[in-house]
Amino acid sequence: MNPYLPFPMSVEKSVAETDDGSIRTISLSFARNGDSEAFSFRAGQFAELSLLGTGEAPFGIASSPVDPGLLDFTVSRAGLVTSELHNLETGDRVGMRGPLGNGYPLEELEGRDVLVVGGGFGFSTLRAFTGYALHPDNRGLFGGMTVVYGARNPGLLLYRKDLLEWGKRDDIDLRVTVDTPDGSWAGRTGVVPAAVRELRIDAGRTTALVCGPPAMIRYTLPVLNELGLPPERVFLSLEMKMKCGIGKCGRCNIGEAYVCTDGPVFSLARLSTLPGEY
Ligand SMILES: Cc1cc2nc3c(=O)[nH]c(=O)nc-3n(C[C@H](O)[C@H](O)[C@H](O)COP(=O)(O)OP(=O)(O)OC[C@H]3O[C@@H](n4cnc5c(N)ncnc54)[C@H](O)[C@@H]3O)c2cc1C
Ligand code: FES
């Protein structure tokens, strides 16, 4: 198959995730017979969404690989492509090239406790992983599941239905936190690194997946180190600027590594061998 040719997709729904409407989740279905059956992906992979006459941009796949049917993309309005994606309505057409990138390292995660740490729209692929790991077919593959997720304020929390459902389960330790509460907020207040510092994990059994805004990552990594997690067992999903998504254009490299094909998920151990350009 020509890797530059997108799948034709139809918009099934577009839902505002945040109170201010700055982040929406767009659910797409395959518009051509047979494509849905031929398509599979793993949590942590991304795709290039394209709009004719506007352009193309990469987005993490936000739905779980075990959810049949629709593919979700959670889009934060930043510029041209993301604004046009926000304007789409049910039935509109979008191109989708993917799945791209490596995804989260399931082989490394199976049999281990998993600590998921996310913030902002970076939580999208972690939502995909958490949905995968909590599915009845897969829950037995992983040990303890801890999810720390934060937003600047309650109105910016994504996936509120999922958070409610996960919060009712006794096989996941879910910690949702906001930097700045409002009058309606009865949950935890504080930044993500502080919530991670409170965890009591068995460092020898735990692997961490981290994705979020740069400041969250910068302050969370030292805390994971304090908790005893070695760099080989901390995986970070990067969001470098990209163009082709398939290792051809050289827009996304960090030293010798292409984020689009070698990543976007890297262990900290691997990143420490590369220039600190991310
Ligand atoms: C692997 C990967 C996964 C991503 N997943 C998501 C996701 O799930 N949801 C989401 O909303 N966004 C995601 N992004 C970021 C998204 O691709 C950019 O926001 C998008 O390309 C902006 O396109 P635009 O045409 O709207 O903005 P432009 O008009 O191109 O630019 C608007 C502004 O956004 C900045 N910008 C553009 N690209 C990036 C980028 N990659 N990182 C940071 N700033 C950027 C520009 O410098 C400019 O200031 C991801 C990026 C990568 C590489
Ligand atoms: S985006 Fe073109 S090489 Fe990675």
Side-chain angles (χ1 to χ4, degrees), residues 81-92:
V81 174
T82 48
S83 298
E84 286 297 309
L85 286 169
H86 270 225
N87 292 337
L88 292 175
E89 293 178 0
T90 301
D92 286 345

Side-chain angles (χ1 to χ4, degrees), residues 46 57-60 74-76 78-82 121 124 238-242:
F46 66 101
F59 300 94
T74 298
V75 177
S76 174
L80 194 60
V81 174
T82 48
F121 64 71
S124 60
L238 301 183
E239 280 162 10
M240 302 288 287
K241 288 192 184 171
M242 290 185 185

Side-chain angles (χ1 to χ4, degrees), residues 78-188:
L80 194 60
V81 174
T82 48
S83 298
E84 286 297 309
L85 286 169
H86 270 225
N87 292 337
L88 292 175
E89 293 178 0
T90 301
D92 286 345
R93 286 300 172 98
V94 186
M96 193 271 298
R97 286 197 297 125
L100 303 171
N102 56 356
Y104 293 117
L106 296 179
E107 304 72 19
E108 307 261 356
L109 293 163
E110 287 182 9
R112 303 188 55 78
D113 294 349
V114 183
L115 168 58
V116 167
V117 183
F121 64 71
F123 195 56
S124 60
T125 57
L126 295 173
R127 178 224 198 184
F129 171 77
T130 304
Y132 172 85
L134 293 181
H135 189 274
D137 289 352
N138 302 324
R139 186 63 191 90
L141 298 175
F142 305 94
M145 282 282 300
T146 304
V147 175
V148 180
Y149 167 53
R152 287 203 308 279
N153 61 59
L156 291 176
L157 286 170
L158 308 177
Y159 313 127
R160 296 176 203 183
K161 187 163 157 274
D162 292 340
L163 297 176
L164 274 176
E165 277 171 22
W166 298 347
K168 288 183 199 148
R169 296 177 64 136
D170 56 11
D171 60 351
I172 168 174
D173 179 0
L174 173 67
R175 307 202 179 193
V176 179
T177 187
V178 298
D179 300 356
T180 313
D182 60 19
S184 69
W185 181 247
R188 172 185 298 269

